[in-house]
PDB file of all heavy atoms in Angstrom:
ATOM      1  N   GLN B   1      53.721-108.204  27.610  1.00  0.00           N
ATOM      2  CA  GLN B   1      54.468-108.336  26.379  1.00  0.00           C
ATOM      3  C   GLN B   1      54.383-107.070  25.516  1.00  0.00           C
ATOM      4  O   GLN B   1      55.225-106.880  24.613  1.00  0.00           O
ATOM      5  CB  GLN B   1      53.988-109.548  25.552  1.00  0.00           C
ATOM      6  CG  GLN B   1      54.269-110.877  26.290  1.00  0.00           C
ATOM      7  CD  GLN B   1      53.628-112.079  25.657  1.00  0.00           C
ATOM      8  OE1 GLN B   1      52.932-111.967  24.659  1.00  0.00           O
ATOM      9  NE2 GLN B   1      53.899-113.260  26.207  1.00  0.00           N
ATOM     10  N   ILE B   2      53.418-106.220  25.845  1.00  0.00           N
ATOM     11  CA  ILE B   2      53.304-104.980  25.046  1.00  0.00           C
ATOM     12  C   ILE B   2      54.160-103.833  25.573  1.00  0.00           C
ATOM     13  O   ILE B   2      54.257-102.783  24.903  1.00  0.00           O
ATOM     14  CB  ILE B   2      51.770-104.539  25.073  1.00  0.00           C
ATOM     15  CG1 ILE B   2      51.440-103.618  23.910  1.00  0.00           C
ATOM     16  CG2 ILE B   2      51.475-103.875  26.434  1.00  0.00           C
ATOM     17  CD1 ILE B   2      49.926-103.282  23.820  1.00  0.00           C
ATOM     18  N   GLU B   3      54.867-104.087  26.655  1.00  0.00           N
ATOM     19  CA  GLU B   3      55.660-103.023  27.305  1.00  0.00           C
ATOM     20  C   GLU B   3      56.662-102.327  26.323  1.00  0.00           C
ATOM     21  O   GLU B   3      56.718-101.122  26.277  1.00  0.00           O
ATOM     22  CB  GLU B   3      56.383-103.524  28.527  1.00  0.00           C
ATOM     23  CG  GLU B   3      55.502-103.843  29.684  1.00  0.00           C
ATOM     24  CD  GLU B   3      56.231-104.429  30.894  1.00  0.00           C
ATOM     25  OE1 GLU B   3      57.498-104.437  30.835  1.00  0.00           O
ATOM     26  OE2 GLU B   3      55.604-104.848  31.859  1.00  0.00           O
ATOM     27  N   LYS B   4      57.409-103.153  25.649  1.00  0.00           N
ATOM     28  CA  LYS B   4      58.434-102.613  24.722  1.00  0.00           C
ATOM     29  C   LYS B   4      57.799-101.761  23.644  1.00  0.00           C
ATOM     30  O   LYS B   4      58.353-100.668  23.319  1.00  0.00           O
ATOM     31  CB  LYS B   4      59.225-103.755  24.094  1.00  0.00           C
ATOM     32  CG  LYS B   4      60.346-103.312  23.168  1.00  0.00           C
ATOM     33  CD  LYS B   4      61.050-104.481  22.554  1.00  0.00           C
ATOM     34  CE  LYS B   4      62.150-104.018  21.588  1.00  0.00           C
ATOM     35  NZ  LYS B   4      62.834-105.178  20.915  1.00  0.00           N
ATOM     36  N   THR B   5      56.650-102.165  23.139  1.00  0.00           N
ATOM     37  CA  THR B   5      55.957-101.392  22.097  1.00  0.00           C
ATOM     38  C   THR B   5      55.490-100.059  22.644  1.00  0.00           C
ATOM     39  O   THR B   5      55.610 -99.033  21.922  1.00  0.00           O
ATOM     40  CB  THR B   5      54.755-102.204  21.539  1.00  0.00           C
ATOM     41  OG1 THR B   5      55.200-103.522  21.234  1.00  0.00           O
ATOM     42  CG2 THR B   5      54.185-101.540  20.342  1.00  0.00           C
ATOM     43  N   ILE B   6      54.975-100.030  23.835  1.00  0.00           N
ATOM     44  CA  ILE B   6      54.526 -98.777  24.415  1.00  0.00           C
ATOM     45  C   ILE B   6      55.641 -97.812  24.632  1.00  0.00           C
ATOM     46  O   ILE B   6      55.578 -96.561  24.266  1.00  0.00           O
ATOM     47  CB  ILE B   6      53.851 -99.033  25.822  1.00  0.00           C
ATOM     48  CG1 ILE B   6      52.590 -99.866  25.668  1.00  0.00           C
ATOM     49  CG2 ILE B   6      53.494 -97.717  26.501  1.00  0.00           C
ATOM     50  CD1 ILE B   6      51.935-100.263  26.963  1.00  0.00           C
ATOM     51  N   VAL B   7      56.763 -98.295  25.155  1.00  0.00           N
ATOM     52  CA  VAL B   7      57.913 -97.420  25.391  1.00  0.00           C
ATOM     53  C   VAL B   7      58.454 -96.874  24.043  1.00  0.00           C
ATOM     54  O   VAL B   7      58.795 -95.670  23.956  1.00  0.00           O
ATOM     55  CB  VAL B   7      59.046 -98.182  26.094  1.00  0.00           C
ATOM     56  CG1 VAL B   7      60.335 -97.371  26.174  1.00  0.00           C
ATOM     57  CG2 VAL B   7      58.563 -98.549  27.513  1.00  0.00           C
ATOM     58  N   GLU B   8      58.460 -97.679  23.021  1.00  0.00           N
ATOM     59  CA  GLU B   8      58.926 -97.185  21.748  1.00  0.00           C
ATOM     60  C   GLU B   8      58.024 -96.153  21.124  1.00  0.00           C
ATOM     61  O   GLU B   8      58.452 -95.082  20.618  1.00  0.00           O
ATOM     62  CB  GLU B   8      59.015 -98.405  20.714  1.00  0.00           C
ATOM     63  CG  GLU B   8      60.135 -99.358  20.991  1.00  0.00           C
ATOM     64  CD  GLU B   8      60.132-100.554  20.086  1.00  0.00           C
ATOM     65  OE1 GLU B   8      59.161-100.709  19.372  1.00  0.00           O
ATOM     66  OE2 GLU B   8      61.104-101.372  20.143  1.00  0.00           O
ATOM     67  N   LEU B   9      56.713 -96.337  21.264  1.00  0.00           N
ATOM     68  CA  LEU B   9      55.794 -95.289  20.768  1.00  0.00           C
ATOM     69  C   LEU B   9      55.885 -93.945  21.590  1.00  0.00           C
ATOM     70  O   LEU B   9      55.763 -92.895  21.013  1.00  0.00           O
ATOM     71  CB  LEU B   9      54.369 -95.806  20.823  1.00  0.00           C
ATOM     72  CG  LEU B   9      53.902 -96.748  19.732  1.00  0.00           C
ATOM     73  CD1 LEU B   9      52.395 -96.985  19.829  1.00  0.00           C
ATOM     74  CD2 LEU B   9      54.265 -96.263  18.393  1.00  0.00           C
ATOM     75  N   ALA B  10      56.154 -94.085  22.861  1.00  0.00           N
ATOM     76  CA  ALA B  10      56.307 -92.896  23.750  1.00  0.00           C
ATOM     77  C   ALA B  10      57.552 -92.102  23.315  1.00  0.00           C
ATOM     78  O   ALA B  10      57.619 -90.868  23.595  1.00  0.00           O
ATOM     79  CB  ALA B  10      56.354 -93.297  25.231  1.00  0.00           C
ATOM     80  N   LYS B  11      58.512 -92.749  22.625  1.00  0.00           N
ATOM     81  CA  LYS B  11      59.717 -92.011  22.177  1.00  0.00           C
ATOM     82  C   LYS B  11      59.448 -91.391  20.790  1.00  0.00           C
ATOM     83  O   LYS B  11      60.216 -90.570  20.344  1.00  0.00           O
ATOM     84  CB  LYS B  11      60.839 -92.954  22.086  1.00  0.00           C
ATOM     85  CG  LYS B  11      61.316 -93.472  23.474  1.00  0.00           C
ATOM     86  CD  LYS B  11      62.456 -94.464  23.287  1.00  0.00           C
ATOM     87  CE  LYS B  11      62.913 -95.033  24.646  1.00  0.00           C
ATOM     88  NZ  LYS B  11      63.985 -96.074  24.484  1.00  0.00           N
ATOM     89  N   GLN B  12      58.302 -91.802  20.154  1.00  0.00           N
ATOM     90  CA  GLN B  12      58.043 -91.318  18.795  1.00  0.00           C
ATOM     91  C   GLN B  12      56.974 -90.245  18.733  1.00  0.00           C
ATOM     92  O   GLN B  12      56.936 -89.440  17.868  1.00  0.00           O
ATOM     93  CB  GLN B  12      57.645 -92.509  17.883  1.00  0.00           C
ATOM     94  CG  GLN B  12      58.714 -93.567  17.729  1.00  0.00           C
ATOM     95  CD  GLN B  12      58.165 -94.797  17.023  1.00  0.00           C
ATOM     96  OE1 GLN B  12      57.270 -94.667  16.151  1.00  0.00           O
ATOM     97  NE2 GLN B  12      58.655 -95.960  17.332  1.00  0.00           N
ATOM     98  N   PHE B  13      55.978 -90.351  19.669  1.00  0.00           N
ATOM     99  CA  PHE B  13      54.830 -89.494  19.579  1.00  0.00           C
ATOM    100  C   PHE B  13      54.707 -88.607  20.847  1.00  0.00           C
ATOM    101  O   PHE B  13      55.083 -89.042  21.943  1.00  0.00           O
ATOM    102  CB  PHE B  13      53.563 -90.289  19.440  1.00  0.00           C
ATOM    103  CG  PHE B  13      53.397 -91.025  18.143  1.00  0.00           C
ATOM    104  CD1 PHE B  13      53.797 -92.306  17.978  1.00  0.00           C
ATOM    105  CD2 PHE B  13      52.898 -90.380  17.015  1.00  0.00           C
ATOM    106  CE1 PHE B  13      53.696 -92.976  16.808  1.00  0.00           C
ATOM    107  CE2 PHE B  13      52.744 -91.010  15.822  1.00  0.00           C
ATOM    108  CZ  PHE B  13      53.148 -92.333  15.709  1.00  0.00           C
ATOM    109  N   PRO B  14      54.128 -87.427  20.732  1.00  0.00           N
ATOM    110  CA  PRO B  14      53.813 -86.586  21.891  1.00  0.00           C
ATOM    111  C   PRO B  14      52.810 -87.274  22.833  1.00  0.00           C
ATOM    112  O   PRO B  14      52.825 -87.031  24.063  1.00  0.00           O
ATOM    113  CB  PRO B  14      53.248 -85.276  21.329  1.00  0.00           C
ATOM    114  CG  PRO B  14      53.705 -85.265  19.914  1.00  0.00           C
ATOM    115  CD  PRO B  14      53.791 -86.675  19.462  1.00  0.00           C
ATOM    116  N   ALA B  15      51.933 -88.035  22.284  1.00  0.00           N
ATOM    117  CA  ALA B  15      50.876 -88.727  23.093  1.00  0.00           C
ATOM    118  C   ALA B  15      50.750 -90.186  22.629  1.00  0.00           C
ATOM    119  O   ALA B  15      50.937 -90.531  21.455  1.00  0.00           O
ATOM    120  CB  ALA B  15      49.537 -88.038  22.964  1.00  0.00           C
ATOM    121  N   VAL B  16      50.408 -91.045  23.608  1.00  0.00           N
ATOM    122  CA  VAL B  16      50.190 -92.426  23.362  1.00  0.00           C
ATOM    123  C   VAL B  16      48.866 -92.791  24.089  1.00  0.00           C
ATOM    124  O   VAL B  16      48.680 -92.391  25.238  1.00  0.00           O
ATOM    125  CB  VAL B  16      51.286 -93.324  23.893  1.00  0.00           C
ATOM    126  CG1 VAL B  16      50.963 -94.850  23.728  1.00  0.00           C
ATOM    127  CG2 VAL B  16      52.595 -93.028  23.204  1.00  0.00           C
ATOM    128  N   VAL B  17      47.981 -93.553  23.414  1.00  0.00           N
ATOM    129  CA  VAL B  17      46.779 -94.008  24.025  1.00  0.00           C
ATOM    130  C   VAL B  17      46.767 -95.539  24.106  1.00  0.00           C
ATOM    131  O   VAL B  17      47.096 -96.236  23.129  1.00  0.00           O
ATOM    132  CB  VAL B  17      45.524 -93.509  23.325  1.00  0.00           C
ATOM    133  CG1 VAL B  17      45.390 -94.012  21.923  1.00  0.00           C
ATOM    134  CG2 VAL B  17      44.245 -93.944  24.125  1.00  0.00           C
ATOM    135  N   LEU B  18      46.436 -96.034  25.261  1.00  0.00           N
ATOM    136  CA  LEU B  18      46.348 -97.513  25.486  1.00  0.00           C
ATOM    137  C   LEU B  18      44.880 -97.784  25.740  1.00  0.00           C
ATOM    138  O   LEU B  18      44.298 -97.416  26.780  1.00  0.00           O
ATOM    139  CB  LEU B  18      47.192 -97.920  26.649  1.00  0.00           C
ATOM    140  CG  LEU B  18      47.266 -99.460  26.928  1.00  0.00           C
ATOM    141  CD1 LEU B  18      47.928-100.176  25.755  1.00  0.00           C
ATOM    142  CD2 LEU B  18      48.014 -99.719  28.211  1.00  0.00           C
ATOM    143  N   THR B  19      44.253 -98.483  24.771  1.00  0.00           N
ATOM    144  CA  THR B  19      42.885 -98.815  24.914  1.00  0.00           C
ATOM    145  C   THR B  19      42.718-100.324  25.099  1.00  0.00           C
ATOM    146  O   THR B  19      43.717-101.035  25.094  1.00  0.00           O
ATOM    147  CB  THR B  19      42.048 -98.356  23.695  1.00  0.00           C
ATOM    148  OG1 THR B  19      40.639 -98.589  23.892  1.00  0.00           O
ATOM    149  CG2 THR B  19      42.491 -99.044  22.449  1.00  0.00           C
ATOM    150  N   GLY B  20      41.493-100.809  25.276  1.00  0.00           N
ATOM    151  CA  GLY B  20      41.263-102.179  25.503  1.00  0.00           C
ATOM    152  C   GLY B  20      40.087-102.344  26.511  1.00  0.00           C
ATOM    153  O   GLY B  20      39.559-101.363  27.050  1.00  0.00           O
ATOM    154  N   PRO B  21      39.617-103.560  26.740  1.00  0.00           N
ATOM    155  CA  PRO B  21      38.483-103.800  27.675  1.00  0.00           C
ATOM    156  C   PRO B  21      38.829-103.394  29.065  1.00  0.00           C
ATOM    157  O   PRO B  21      39.975-103.342  29.480  1.00  0.00           O
ATOM    158  CB  PRO B  21      38.232-105.285  27.548  1.00  0.00           C
ATOM    159  CG  PRO B  21      39.529-105.861  27.062  1.00  0.00           C
ATOM    160  CD  PRO B  21      40.181-104.866  26.179  1.00  0.00           C
ATOM    161  N   ARG B  22      37.788-103.129  29.798  1.00  0.00           N
ATOM    162  CA  ARG B  22      37.934-102.853  31.219  1.00  0.00           C
ATOM    163  C   ARG B  22      38.621-104.028  31.952  1.00  0.00           C
ATOM    164  O   ARG B  22      38.446-105.175  31.565  1.00  0.00           O
ATOM    165  CB  ARG B  22      36.586-102.646  31.943  1.00  0.00           C
ATOM    166  CG  ARG B  22      35.951-101.274  31.607  1.00  0.00           C
ATOM    167  CD  ARG B  22      34.757-101.007  32.484  1.00  0.00           C
ATOM    168  NE  ARG B  22      34.356 -99.623  32.389  1.00  0.00           N
ATOM    169  CZ  ARG B  22      34.874 -98.609  33.052  1.00  0.00           C
ATOM    170  NH1 ARG B  22      35.828 -98.880  33.905  1.00  0.00           N
ATOM    171  NH2 ARG B  22      34.502 -97.383  32.925  1.00  0.00           N
ATOM    172  N   GLN B  23      39.439-103.667  32.876  1.00  0.00           N
ATOM    173  CA  GLN B  23      40.106-104.672  33.738  1.00  0.00           C
ATOM    174  C   GLN B  23      41.174-105.493  33.062  1.00  0.00           C
ATOM    175  O   GLN B  23      41.610-106.528  33.510  1.00  0.00           O
ATOM    176  CB  GLN B  23      39.110-105.634  34.381  1.00  0.00           C
ATOM    177  CG  GLN B  23      38.012-104.955  35.227  1.00  0.00           C
ATOM    178  CD  GLN B  23      38.620-104.344  36.506  1.00  0.00           C
ATOM    179  OE1 GLN B  23      39.450-104.934  37.172  1.00  0.00           O
ATOM    180  NE2 GLN B  23      38.204-103.107  36.854  1.00  0.00           N
ATOM    181  N   SER B  24      41.646-105.019  31.898  1.00  0.00           N
ATOM    182  CA  SER B  24      42.705-105.715  31.187  1.00  0.00           C
ATOM    183  C   SER B  24      44.105-105.372  31.734  1.00  0.00           C
ATOM    184  O   SER B  24      45.099-105.960  31.311  1.00  0.00           O
ATOM    185  CB  SER B  24      42.669-105.453  29.694  1.00  0.00           C
ATOM    186  OG  SER B  24      42.781-104.086  29.397  1.00  0.00           O
ATOM    187  N   GLY B  25      44.162-104.410  32.616  1.00  0.00           N
ATOM    188  CA  GLY B  25      45.429-104.066  33.311  1.00  0.00           C
ATOM    189  C   GLY B  25      46.099-102.762  32.764  1.00  0.00           C
ATOM    190  O   GLY B  25      47.306-102.578  33.002  1.00  0.00           O
ATOM    191  N   LYS B  26      45.345-101.928  32.075  1.00  0.00           N
ATOM    192  CA  LYS B  26      45.936-100.736  31.469  1.00  0.00           C
ATOM    193  C   LYS B  26      46.564 -99.800  32.522  1.00  0.00           C
ATOM    194  O   LYS B  26      47.732 -99.381  32.375  1.00  0.00           O
ATOM    195  CB  LYS B  26      44.875-100.004  30.670  1.00  0.00           C
ATOM    196  CG  LYS B  26      44.256-100.800  29.537  1.00  0.00           C
ATOM    197  CD  LYS B  26      43.243 -99.967  28.710  1.00  0.00           C
ATOM    198  CE  LYS B  26      42.028 -99.624  29.482  1.00  0.00           C
ATOM    199  NZ  LYS B  26      41.237-100.758  29.910  1.00  0.00           N
TER     200      LYS B  26
END
């Protein structure tokens, strides 16, 4: 469900970081 948000940020910033616990599927 976070996919759309990631794509939008990648269009706004030079870099995007996706954090979260291990094995969450990053």
